[in-house]
Amino acid sequence: PKDKAVKRFLQKNIVEQAAVRDLAEASVYEQYVLPKLYVKQQYCISCAIHSKQVRNRSREGRKDRQPPPRFRGPRRDDDKKKAPGAPGAAPGAPGAPK
């Protein structure tokens, strides 16, 4: 079933890292950004386990359909550093437009 499939969104450079500098030196354009390859892959459960995208679970754990919790990196404090009234600053801050 499509809803049970393991979905992975893959973003990678079209050119491998070793050849990027060679292309930049040979290019006529100064600031040419190499395009990326965006692929959405869907694996059946057995293929995802075989390719080590996911690990097998216990019999009770297999019944759990909830996605695993997402881990976020450390929170940046950029919002606190913004000047009051600046775009993106917290609304209601002193100096913010009303």
Side-chain angles (χ1 to χ4, degrees):
K2 190 173 181 179
D3 65 331
K4 198 174 180 183
V6 176
K7 299 165 192 73
R8 295 287 184 254
F9 193 73
L10 184 69
Q11 302 174 356
K12 61 185 209 180
N13 293 325
I14 289 178
V15 181
E16 61 185 19
Q17 201 60 32
V20 170
R21 195 181 85 215
D22 295 337
L23 282 175
E25 291 173 356
S27 177
V28 176
Y29 301 107
E30 294 288 328
Q31 296 293 326
Y32 181 69
V33 179
L34 291 171
K36 292 190 174 202
L37 189 66
Y38 299 95
V39 180
K40 184 168 185 180
Q41 296 179 326
Q42 294 183 343
Y43 296 93
C44 68
I45 300 300
S46 61
C47 293
I49 292 171
H50 182 74
S51 63
K52 297 184 180 176
Q53 296 292 321
V54 293
R55 294 197 297 206
N56 57 350
R57 298 190 287 176
S58 66
R59 186 170 293 191
E60 290 299 317
R62 284 183 225 143
K63 294 179 183 177
D64 183 20
R65 296 292 294 272
Q66 292 294 322
R70 293 188 178 228
F71 298 106
R72 293 188 176 187
R75 186 174 173 102
R76 296 185 300 174
D77 293 331
D78 290 342
D79 294 333
K80 295 178 183 175
K81 295 179 184 175
K82 290 184 180 177
K98 296 180 180 172

